[in-house]
Amino acid sequence: KTPKLPKIKVASMVGPGAKSVNEVTSPERIYIRVASTKDQALLTTLKATLDEYRGSTEVVLVLGDETNRQAIKLPAGLDRESEGMFKLRELVGAENFKIH
């Protein structure tokens, strides 16, 4: 006869820090829009900047215009606390750089 394991009660957290404990929040992502893949200089600089400032924040490259776009999650993330955030925003323009 195998012994029974005791039941574990999960306590609900209340208070100011409870939201971060009880809710699973989705990680923030950086979306970078590039209208055309023909701009090799832009893509090369984009890759070099991502390689230099690697981190855990996911980066999604959105290719094309509003009617015909394709989103690609990049394998490398970006360090949100680094200068890379500002370099990428400057490279593609503030309107093409969003954090969600």
Side-chain angles (χ1 to χ4, degrees), residues 38-91:
K38 294 181 182 188
D39 188 350
Q40 289 297 313
L42 174 84
L43 294 173
T44 303
T45 307
L46 182 71
K47 181 180 181 334
T49 305
L50 288 169
D51 287 344
E52 185 176 348
Y53 299 101
R54 282 186 183 253
S56 60
T57 304
E58 293 180 354
V59 178
V60 178
L61 190 61
V62 181
L63 303 173
D65 58 14
E66 288 293 322
T67 59
N68 185 23
R69 64 180 173 205
Q70 180 180 6
I72 302 168
K73 182 179 171 238
L74 301 179
L78 181 68
D79 179 5
R80 285 209 46 198
E81 306 299 320
S82 72
E83 190 180 326
M85 294 281 289
F86 303 106
K87 286 187 175 187
L88 289 175
R89 184 177 287 127
E90 200 173 273
L91 178 68

